[in-house]
């Protein structure tokens, strides 16, 4: 699902939620076929009701005691119009999503067949092709100290701590494409090495995932805060394209926090 399809789905879900709310409101409205006209003069309102043709074009004047009836009629008119509008919007979103699904440029390439695909390059890569190219990227990560502990992930790469192994293995098992300590050049030409760079498969952008493992160390914590401030200056927003886990010696990595982050990341991609 591409970004446009995802936007359509989000708007469709919003419309469905509003429609559900409006139907609840309509159930509270008493049936009344009369029409209400409201004349506003300053803070005062004059209400007129037209129940039959004999009431004339403007209808008859409503007394203050009839205000509740006027409110009921106007609520019914308002929510009824909202319901009709939202139902039309839902039809539009459903048709639009079907159209977008049928007209993907990557589908045109796929339908050529494997033989013809060897004779021409695709104009637009499919999500699978884009991910494959992203994962094939070769890069030089941060150098390990000579006497650093050798800790390896299920994917066979070396990491710096047991917590990073837990994080890497979780991403690997969840089939989330990532790079470990992929170099990131920031605006002042300084290169930093985020713990994990994750592929956002919908928006085709990189997400930073940092783990701060010694937050009870004052110097380490200050450096972690400086790094977060640097990411903020570079346009990274926590919970959007930046995720963070942390721990201290007394508070180890919380598996529930990790599960929540993974669900947030995958939830962005798995809208059907």
């Amino acid at each position: 699902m591409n970004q446009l399809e995802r936007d359509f789905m989000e708007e469709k879900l919003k419309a469905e939620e509003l429609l559900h709310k409006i139907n609840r409101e309509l159930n509270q409205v008493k049936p009344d076929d009369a029409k209400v006209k409201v004349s506003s003069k300053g803070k005062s309102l004059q209400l007129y009701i037209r129940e039959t043709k004999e009431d004339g074009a403007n209808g008859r004047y409503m007394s203050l005691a009839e205000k509740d009836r006027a409110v009921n009629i106007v609520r019914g008119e308002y929510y009824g119009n909202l319901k009709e509008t939202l139902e039309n919007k839902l039809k539009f979103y459903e048709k639009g999503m079907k159209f977008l699904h049928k007209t993907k440029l990557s589908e045109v390439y796929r339908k050529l067949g494997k033989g013809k695909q060897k004779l021409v390059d695709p104009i637009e890569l499919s999500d699978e092709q884009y991910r494959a190219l992203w994962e094939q990227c070769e890069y030089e990560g941060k150098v390990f100290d000579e006497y650093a502990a050798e800790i390896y992930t299920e994917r066979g790469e070396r990491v710096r701590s047991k917590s990073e192994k837990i994080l890497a293995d979780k991403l690997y098992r969840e089939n989330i494409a990532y790079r470990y300590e992929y170099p990131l050049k920031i605006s002042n030409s300084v290169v930093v090495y985020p713990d994990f760079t994750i592929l956002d498969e919908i928006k085709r952008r990189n997400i930073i995932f940092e783990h701060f493992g010694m937050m009870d160390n004052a110097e380490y914590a200050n450096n972690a805060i400086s790094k977060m401030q640097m990411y903020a200056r570079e346009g990274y927003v926590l919970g959007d394209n930046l995720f963070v886990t942390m721990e201290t010696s007394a508070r180890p990595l919380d598996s529930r926090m990790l599960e929540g982050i993974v669900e947030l990341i995958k939830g962005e991609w798995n809208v059907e």
Side-chain angles (χ1 to χ4, degrees):
M1 181 178 289
N2 61 33
Q3 182 60 40
L4 186 55
E5 288 175 295
R6 179 172 171 269
D7 291 341
F8 265 59
M9 174 58 75
E10 288 179 354
E11 291 301 319
K12 179 176 178 289
L13 292 174
K14 288 179 186 177
E16 287 175 339
E17 184 178 349
L18 278 174
L19 187 59
H20 181 67
K21 179 179 179 181
I22 288 164
N23 283 328
R24 289 203 309 267
E25 295 291 340
L26 279 172
N27 287 335
Q28 304 300 316
V29 175
K30 298 176 182 178
D32 197 326
D33 294 330
K35 302 295 182 183
V36 167
K37 180 180 178 181
V38 180
S39 176
S40 176
K41 293 183 179 179
K43 293 183 178 180
S44 65
L45 296 178
Q46 291 183 337
L47 308 176
Y48 300 87
I49 187 168
R50 187 171 185 266
E51 298 177 278
T52 65
K53 292 181 180 180
E54 285 72 24
D55 290 331
N58 292 325
R60 67 171 177 82
Y61 178 75
M62 297 183 76
S63 67
L64 186 61
E66 296 178 283
K67 184 179 177 181
D68 286 346
R69 183 183 179 189
V71 170
N72 178 74
I73 294 171
V74 173
R75 281 168 56 86
E77 178 185 357
Y78 174 57
Y79 289 121
N81 291 340
L82 275 178
K83 180 177 181 178
E84 182 181 357
T85 301
L86 282 169
E87 286 175 341
N88 288 334
K89 289 185 77 170
L90 282 171
K91 290 177 184 177
F92 169 77
Y93 293 137
E94 289 167 359
K95 289 180 180 179
M97 290 173 64
K98 288 179 182 178
F99 175 79
L100 289 171
H101 182 73
K102 290 179 179 179
T103 58
K104 285 183 179 179
L105 299 183
S106 58
E107 278 295 294
V108 177
Y109 184 77
R110 185 187 66 79
K111 290 177 180 178
L112 279 177
K114 293 183 178 180
K116 292 180 180 179
Q117 286 174 3
K118 295 179 180 180
L119 303 178
V120 62
D121 293 327
I123 293 294
E124 180 182 88
L125 296 175
S126 67
D127 291 342
E128 294 78 12
Q129 291 169 326
Y130 187 88
R131 172 171 174 155
L133 286 176
W134 191 90
E135 290 181 314
Q136 290 170 13
C137 174
E138 295 183 0
Y139 63 94
E140 292 186 9
K142 196 174 179 180
V143 177
F144 284 86
D145 294 334
E146 182 178 357
Y147 299 105
E150 293 193 16
I151 303 171
Y152 291 90
T153 68
E154 293 178 8
R155 200 167 75 169
E157 65 200 338
R158 187 179 179 185
V159 293
R160 299 180 186 276
S161 69
K162 293 180 180 178
S163 292
E164 288 187 349
K165 170 178 166 55
I166 292 172
L167 296 173
D169 289 345
K170 179 64 175 177
L171 295 175
Y172 179 65
R173 288 194 295 269
E174 295 291 340
N175 195 33
I176 295 175
Y178 74 88
R179 299 168 182 165
Y180 179 69
E181 292 191 340
Y182 179 73
L184 172 65
K185 184 179 288 187
I186 57 178
S187 55
N188 58 3
S189 297
V190 173
V191 176
V192 294
Y193 296 86
D195 294 329
F196 300 95
T197 301
I198 295 171
L199 172 63
D200 181 338
E201 298 184 10
I202 294 296
K203 298 180 180 177
R204 298 193 176 185
R205 61 175 182 168
N206 290 344
I207 293 175
I208 300 302
F209 187 2
E210 285 279 16
H211 176 68
F212 299 121
M214 296 188 297
M215 292 300 286
D216 47 355
N217 179 294
E219 182 179 358
Y220 181 94
N222 283 329
N223 288 336
I225 292 171
S226 295
K227 201 169 190 180
M228 291 291 292
Q229 291 173 336
M230 175 205 69
Y231 284 137
R233 290 193 298 270
E234 295 297 314
Y236 288 91
V237 178
L238 195 62
D240 176 32
N241 55 355
L242 173 64
F243 292 90
V244 173
T245 52
M246 56 185 68
E247 63 182 314
T248 66
S249 55
R251 297 283 184 178
L253 176 64
D254 188 340
S255 60
R256 292 171 299 180
M257 180 186 293
L258 177 56
E259 287 288 345
I261 289 174
V262 168
E263 288 303 312
L264 278 175
I265 293 172
K266 294 190 72 175
E268 289 292 310
W269 306 338
N270 292 343
V271 178
E272 295 297 340

